[in-house]
Amino acid sequence: MVAWIMEMSTPEFPMGRKILVVANDVTFRNASFGPSEDAFFQAVTDVACEQKIPLIYLAANSGARIGAAEEVKSCFRVGWSDESNPERGFQYVYLTPEDHERIKSSVMAHELKLSNGEIRWVIDTIIGEEDGLGVENLSGSGAIASAYSRAYHETFTLTYVTGRTVGIGAYLARLGMRCIQRLDQPIILTGYSALNKLLGREVYSSHMQLGGPKIMATNGVVHRTVSDDLEGISEILNWLSFVPPYSGGPLPISTPLDPPKRPVEYFPDTTCDPRAAISGLTDASGKWLGGIFDKDSFIETLEGWAKTVVTGRAKLGGIPVGIVAVETQTMKQVIPADPGQLDSHERVVPQAGQVWFPDSATKTAQALMDFNREELPLFILANWRGFSGGQRDLFEGILQAGSTIVENLRTYKQPVFVYIPMMGELRGGAWVVVDSKINSDHIEMYAETTARGNVLEPEGMIEIRFRKKEVLECMDRIDQQLINLKSKLQEAKSAGVYANVEALKDQIKTRETQLLPVYTQIATKFAELHDTSIRMAAKGVIREIVNWETSRSFFYRRLLRRVEEEMLVKTVRNAAGDQLSYKSAMDMVKNWFLGSKEGKVDAWLDDEAFFSWKNDPMNYEERLQELRVQKVLIQLSKIGDSTLDLHALPQGLLSLLQKVSNQILFRSIDIFKILLPHPFYLYLKVSCFHVQVEPAMREQLISDLKKVLNWLSSS
């Protein structure tokens, strides 16, 4: 294997950013993984995790190495059942005494003395002189699988399958989660010829049949496909343009070419096209109609899998974001036939738009997890009517996938914007799994003027809350002709004119039948009036109604504000320690800001005032320092609760002081002069005006401090 640390200048980071690249060397043992390759790969992932920098794996391998002890292979003998008739079989393999003496460290064998006096060393086990012949390779594969999985959670990982990748290589492609595949290179667990031998017949004809893009790009393993390596490297660089330079670092915000204040010019007719809403489209006259996000910035991922959901990354005013949107058209899920099963055949399953199926719910959950690890703000253009809840869907895990969406949103640590778009709707369980109360610190919900939302669709709601009996009662209350007929009926019954009673009943029934269709429409309209965005806002389940045309500029301003707030909150929490919650840190920032504005509550809504205040660290640096002091005090108080920790304190402080700068070292001595008895601070007295300290003097100072700290420990 080969690895590089690359420092590159990019449009997002012109001063440079650092990445780690690790690749298989196909010129050495067919790029198989042996113990040394495993140790190397693990060491590289450790460096990436330690430095929190992106790790790119260029995969082209043949899986775990398959070896044989060549020194034994070249000299072993066969103990035949009948020396003169080899076709009758054999009993054992052995070594001659001379060969055994030469390679005895490679085998475990026992001595066998024949009746003719010949001595044979019967081989019980072959260990091999060389490391990396068998199970040790599998053990190493387990280690690098764990290491790469850990790297996905601790930093950014991306795999580019530039050549055939087999076995552990295929698992690494999945464990790193983000994967780009070259169209002519497979991702497989076992070679097709080995599978044919296992099945006892010629079933598969190529590796591509097993793990080519037609399989891997449609099952959620591969995010993007490319035709050649140049396109593959371009895809890697494009992906990196959305990723911070290191885990926890600043977002790669670039200067937008598409004006953030531009109106949204794409308007849906009856249903909202997700890709047009995201990046716009070109109309019949050749005019580009812009969507919500920056022109040409949207990069769709997992396009071939679970097509009722659209996922990818885009930029809004130059700020990178993750996107989940909803396909409104009916899509086809193609399940390929497996040549290994004689009764298998290709199936095409239609999937309705605006509905979560097991595969699309899983795709949504995976996208959320990826975006969160990449520290991207998230936009969900929510336009679902609900989850598919049939028997097969429940069997295939729709409940599990929906629950994973909730969990991944609950743990999302960046700003999340859920927007019900123009002509969109959000109902039932689909609303539940994206509601802002799942993660009130980070999720904000919005709806367009025309958006709709409720437990059920109006047609379903009237089946429960406005049934036929109630529709007829509504007719009786509103229709004057029915009111008159029922009045006459009552008079006829009172007068005992029974001939008129039957005639009036027939007239009433005819009138009700005549009016039923229109009153069913009235009931449906009545139900629809419960679904409006105005009611959502009135009930406080959305933050605001956002007009479609101005949604781009609105969300840009809101995103920029949230990103700036998140950066400051992160700084506050780093200063204060883990004991400070996100909400407490946000309240603290708000109070600091309002304190500088003489308590004017409305000032918090002024974005420009907040940006100006936040960009001057002098406004809050003193308070941050107070938080750091409090954090250290809490840590020291915890040490004070343990006698064993107190005894270790002097040595720990000494190790710390050996790492600090001269300035901090002098300051520490000044503090000791205040805190310690007179003889000790005289012993440590040194001029604080020295800018540099000679090595010998520095060692003397540390030695003096050690004596004082030992005195502290003993007293």
Side-chain angles (χ1 to χ4, degrees), residues 684-702:
L684 293 174
K685 186 175 181 181
V686 67
S687 172
C688 292
F689 295 102
H690 290 176
V691 178
Q692 300 291 333
V693 178
E694 295 297 327
M697 172 65 78
R698 185 178 179 85
E699 292 301 320
Q700 182 62 46
L701 285 171
I702 291 172

Side-chain angles (χ1 to χ4, degrees), residues 510-644:
T510 300
R511 182 63 176 172
E512 287 177 342
T513 303
Q514 181 184 3
L515 293 177
L516 186 61
V518 69
Y519 269 81
T520 301
Q521 294 177 18
I522 292 169
T524 304
K525 178 63 176 178
F526 173 80
E528 285 179 356
L529 293 172
H530 292 75
D531 298 357
T532 64
S533 55
I534 295 174
R535 186 176 189 277
M536 298 177 205
K539 301 306 292 184
V541 296
I542 62 171
R543 193 172 188 270
E544 195 172 334
I545 298 173
V546 178
N547 181 270
W548 180 254
E549 186 175 8
T550 59
S551 59
R552 171 177 168 82
S553 58
F554 173 86
F555 282 120
Y556 169 71
R557 292 193 307 272
R558 188 65 193 144
L559 173 62
L560 187 60
R561 172 64 182 265
R562 290 286 305 279
V563 168
E564 292 292 327
E565 288 178 358
E566 293 284 333
M567 290 172 60
L568 188 50
V569 166
K570 185 184 293 185
T571 302
V572 169
R573 296 187 74 188
N574 286 338
D578 296 335
Q579 73 276 4
L580 189 67
S581 68
Y582 177 93
K583 187 177 185 306
S584 297
M586 178 60 79
D587 290 342
M588 196 174 288
V589 169
K590 185 175 181 179
N591 290 334
W592 292 350
F593 173 77
L594 292 177
S596 69
K597 302 299 177 183
E598 299 178 351
K600 295 178 181 177
V601 179
D602 292 345
W604 180 249
L605 303 177
D606 187 340
D607 292 339
E608 294 304 322
F610 176 80
F611 296 150
S612 176
W613 176 84
K614 187 257 179 187
N615 291 334
D616 183 1
M618 296 300 293
N619 288 321
Y620 47 82
E621 183 56 43
E622 185 177 341
R623 291 184 171 93
L624 289 176
Q625 184 60 23
E626 291 173 2
L627 291 175
R628 296 185 187 103
V629 171
Q630 291 174 10
K631 177 175 69 174
V632 173
L633 285 174
I634 291 171
Q635 293 169 343
L636 289 174
S637 67
K638 290 179 180 179
I639 294 174
D641 294 337
S642 168
T643 304
L644 293 176

